[in-house]
């Protein structure tokens, strides 16, 4: 793995840094988990898209720059280092878009991706159900054939961004009675404002509706909104999950910037005699750098033709537990000030607690690591 960036890559980094310095709002936007903040972040997405910074790795025809995976990583480093706003469109950009590139039709990509890149349409993930979260294949929401499309019925829950988003994507059981639960599932996209859809926000620990329940009562979805073959949705969903856990959802830039902020916080507030806290800060800095190197190694593999595999589970376990440890260290440094509900650190800590749960619980990821990477026998399931 060659970690030396080319002059063209460095020029790209400089261009991104200059643009971000000129455009990142000087006053932080309201939390994107509020209606006001969601709208403000949507405007920010449009500003990014206007100069082709919202989806740098995508083809230009869809609003990107054809920049490739290495420059996407470079852009992410600059983005977080600049303190730019959170991405309200990340479910669509980081999860649905890679799925459409792998399994969608050209017509779907042309219809969906440009409005996703600009923030005009923001997507929610609608996978989990009350009895199907970690065991996704046990879902019961149905897709029933009708003239020209499908009728969706059932309940989804813990749907990220669904409280204020426009559309959603998820799995539905279209062929009941199959011999295996992973069979007979269809991957569909649907409008969250269509007749028959009810969205009920779910508040986090801080009360903000980062998630929602979605109830569907014979919601019509046209055939053009099926991704992949009807009944073959599990394979498509695993493609989405691989991207979610493996590379696109949590780039190293996010953690490098957070580790820098943590180090600055330690220098400004810490008691130098508290060596235990100092060591936790050092661990955070080392962890961020290790994750960066691991991700660049994966990027090299992908450029050589490798696909996202079970190694993605290593990524997911690492960044989700790292994120909690980093924020806990920050709150310990802040002491009583860390109790404030409106600091970036406290909001980040609340969000980090969900990390070991979403994108497949860490218990499931450890099963995958044990069985598929280490070759150990199946355990408790």
């Amino acid at each position: 793995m060659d970690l030396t960036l080319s002059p063209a890559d460095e020029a790209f980094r400089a261009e991104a840094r200059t643009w971000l310095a000129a455009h990142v709002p000087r006053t932080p936007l309201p939390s994107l988990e509020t209606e006001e903040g969601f709208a403000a972040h949507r405007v920010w997405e449009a500003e990014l898209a206007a100069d082709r910074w919202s989806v740098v790795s995508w083809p230009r025809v869809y609003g990107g720059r054809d920049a490739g995976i290495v420059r996407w990583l470079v852009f992410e480093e600059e983005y977080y280092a600049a303190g730019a706003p959170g991405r309200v469109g990340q479910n669509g950009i980081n999860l649905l878009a890679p799925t459409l590139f792998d399994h969608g039709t050209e017509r779907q990509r042309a219809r969906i991706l440009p409005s996703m890149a600009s923030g005009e349409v923001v997507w929610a993930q609608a996978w989990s159900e009350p009895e199907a979260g970690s065991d996704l294949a046990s879902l019961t929401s149905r897709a029933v054939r009708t003239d020209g499309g499908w009728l969706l019925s059932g309940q989804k829950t813990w749907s990220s961004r669904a409280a204020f988003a426009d559309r959603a994507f998820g799995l539905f059981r279209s062929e009941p009675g199959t011999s295996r639960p992973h069979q007979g599932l269809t991957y569909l996209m649907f409008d969250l404002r269509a007749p028959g859809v009810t969205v009920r926000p779910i508040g986090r620990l801080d009360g903000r509706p980062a998630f929602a329940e979605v109830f569907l009562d014979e919601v019509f979805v046209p055939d053009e909104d099926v991704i992949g073959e009807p009944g073959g949705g599990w394979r498509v969903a695993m493609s989405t999950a691989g991207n979610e856990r493996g590379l696109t959802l949590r780039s190293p830039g996010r953690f490098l910037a957070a580790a820098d902020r943590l180090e600055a916080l330690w220098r400004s507030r810490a008691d130098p005699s508290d060596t235990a806290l100092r060591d936790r800060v050092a661990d955070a800095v080392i962890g961020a750098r290790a994750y960066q190197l691991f991700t660049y190694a994966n990027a090299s593999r992908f450029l050589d033709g490798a696909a996202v595999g079970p190694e993605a589970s290593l990524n997911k376990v690492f960044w989700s537990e790292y994120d909690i440890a980093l924020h806990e260290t920050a709150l310990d440094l802040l002491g009583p000030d860390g109790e404030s509900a409106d600091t970036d650190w406290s909001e980040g800590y609340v969000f980090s607690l969900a990390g070991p749960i979403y994108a497949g619980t860490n218990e499931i990821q450890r099963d995958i690591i044990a069985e598929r990477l280490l070759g150990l026998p199946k355990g408790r399931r």
Side-chain angles (χ1 to χ4, degrees), residues 172-189:
F172 293 83
R173 190 163 299 284
S174 55
E175 299 172 18
T178 56
S179 60
R180 301 185 63 186
H182 305 82
Q183 299 171 339
L185 301 172
T186 297
Y187 200 121
L188 290 125
M189 302 174 283

Side-chain angles (χ1 to χ4, degrees), residues 158-206:
W158 301 115
S159 296
S160 305
R161 305 276 188 271
F164 307 114
D166 306 296
R167 305 199 71 198
F169 53 94
L171 272 182
F172 293 83
R173 190 163 299 284
S174 55
E175 299 172 18
T178 56
S179 60
R180 301 185 63 186
H182 305 82
Q183 299 171 339
L185 301 172
T186 297
Y187 200 121
L188 290 125
M189 302 174 283
F190 59 95
D191 191 334
L192 285 167
R193 299 184 180 88
V197 177
T198 301
V199 178
R200 183 183 299 167
I202 300 174
R204 294 188 313 200
L205 288 175
D206 60 5

Side-chain angles (χ1 to χ4, degrees), residues 118-132:
S118 68
E120 179 184 352
V121 176
V122 177
W123 291 78
Q125 186 180 24
W127 281 22
S128 296
E129 297 184 2
E131 302 298 329

Side-chain angles (χ1 to χ4, degrees), residues 22-182:
H23 289 81
V24 169
R26 299 191 183 283
T27 303
L29 302 182
S31 168
L32 61 82
E33 312 299 357
T34 64
E35 185 170 9
E36 175 194 13
F38 198 94
H41 283 76
R42 195 195 290 264
V43 171
W44 168 246
E45 293 289 335
E47 188 171 351
L48 283 168
D51 288 328
R52 295 184 178 274
W53 290 111
S54 68
V55 286
V56 297
S57 63
W58 289 11
R60 296 186 68 84
V61 67
Y62 304 130
R65 289 175 170 242
D66 274 322
I69 190 170
V70 171
R71 290 188 190 176
W72 173 74
L73 290 168
V74 168
F75 175 73
E76 288 282 292
E77 290 175 5
E78 293 301 321
Y79 188 88
Y80 284 101
R87 302 295 303 274
V88 73
Q90 68 174 14
N91 282 327
I93 292 169
N94 295 337
L95 305 181
L96 180 58
T99 305
L100 288 170
F101 283 124
D102 289 342
H103 301 280
T105 65
E106 182 51 49
R107 180 170 293 185
Q108 286 176 326
R109 288 190 283 271
R111 177 167 56 91
I112 293 169
L113 294 181
S115 62
M116 181 190 294
S118 68
E120 179 184 352
V121 176
V122 177
W123 291 78
Q125 186 180 24
W127 281 22
S128 296
E129 297 184 2
E131 302 298 329
S134 297
D135 185 12
L136 182 63
S138 64
L139 63 87
T140 59
S141 291
R142 305 182 307 280
V144 178
R145 252 298 178 204
T146 190
D147 289 342
W150 303 80
L151 294 175
L152 307 186
S153 297
Q155 179 185 353
K156 301 291 184 179
T157 191
W158 301 115
S159 296
S160 305
R161 305 276 188 271
F164 307 114
D166 306 296
R167 305 199 71 198
F169 53 94
L171 272 182
F172 293 83
R173 190 163 299 284
S174 55
E175 299 172 18
T178 56
S179 60
R180 301 185 63 186
H182 305 82

Side-chain angles (χ1 to χ4, degrees), residues 125 127-128 133-136 241 244-245 249 313 316-317 319-320 354-366 368:
Q125 186 180 24
W127 281 22
S128 296
S134 297
D135 185 12
L136 182 63
E244 183 178 28
R245 299 164 187 165
L249 187 62
S313 295
K316 201 273 172 172
V317 170
W319 60 247
S320 59
I357 301 172
Y358 65 75
T361 66
N362 283 9
E363 288 77 9
I364 295 295
Q365 304 315 308
R366 286 190 164 88
I368 294 171

